[in-house]
Amino acid sequence: MTIIQEHRTEVRSGDIQYQVAVVTRTEDGEPERVTVTVGGERPDGEPVVEGRLELDITSVATVAELLDTSLRTFAGGGSRRRSPSRPAQQGRPWTDEMDADLEARWLAGDSVTELARHFARTPGGIRARLPRVGCDPEHPGNHLPTPPSLREAEEGAD
């Protein structure tokens, strides 16, 4: 079975009509694909812009951010999503590797400030993440009573 979703947007700038179409296609057994088509034409039908991107669904967010940042920078508007004072990774998802690194660094004695700088996060974000990896944010260098990395070993011993 094939599932197709489509979103179209049109906007006029001066005498040029721009269109963007985003189409997702999912077929049995095939990874989801996204096609982005961009076009623009003058009132007489003369094309002024046209292009097409074929993306795997897993890369859409990354490419969207890349386009947003690049176009805003070129247009002189900068990125609207990040202020210069906001850490680069604030609000972004943590990976398993980052969690393991956070736990190891905390146990090795890194401070919240050092960790915030290393991970490009806020100190509050680090304090909030520490319990999720089994570390005690109130006692530097220590695990919580039973950290996640030890829970699996205990469960396997039962």
Side-chain angles (χ1 to χ4, degrees):
M1 178 163 94
T2 301
I3 299 172
I4 299 174
Q5 293 181 323
E6 186 172 343
H7 177 80
R8 292 184 179 274
T9 302
E10 292 191 16
V11 65
R12 180 171 298 282
S13 177
D15 67 342
I16 300 173
Q17 181 77 25
Y18 293 96
Q19 309 87 30
V20 176
V22 180
V23 179
T24 61
R25 176 183 218 98
T26 306
E27 296 187 36
D28 292 333
E30 295 292 321
E32 189 171 358
R33 302 289 297 167
V34 176
T35 302
V36 180
T37 306
V38 179
E41 58 186 38
R42 297 191 190 285
D44 63 5
E46 176 190 356
V48 293
V49 64
E50 57 187 339
R52 179 181 174 123
L53 291 171
E54 294 279 339
L55 305 169
D56 181 87
I57 191 70
T58 59
S59 64
V60 169
T62 302
V63 173
E65 184 172 338
L66 172 70
L67 287 170
D68 178 64
T69 301
S70 297
L71 291 172
R72 287 183 185 284
T73 299
F74 186 81
S79 176
R80 68 176 175 186
R81 292 195 176 132
R82 302 238 169 253
S83 69
S85 62
R86 184 175 174 185
Q89 296 299 316
Q90 181 181 348
R92 301 212 177 163
W94 286 77
T95 64
D96 291 341
E97 293 81 18
M98 292 166 73
D99 281 342
D101 190 24
L102 175 64
E103 180 183 12
R105 287 174 176 273
W106 181 253
L107 296 176
D110 284 12
S111 70
V112 168
T113 302
E114 291 168 327
L115 292 169
R117 191 174 309 115
H118 174 77
F119 289 102
R121 309 266 181 170
T122 63
I126 296 296
R127 279 191 219 77
R129 192 68 187 180
L130 286 167
R132 292 180 183 218
V133 299
C135 294
D136 186 345
E138 300 302 318
H139 299 96
N142 290 300
H143 275 128
L144 290 169
T146 307
S149 60
L150 299 178
R151 289 181 197 144
E152 292 176 17
E154 289 176 359
E155 290 171 2
D158 290 338

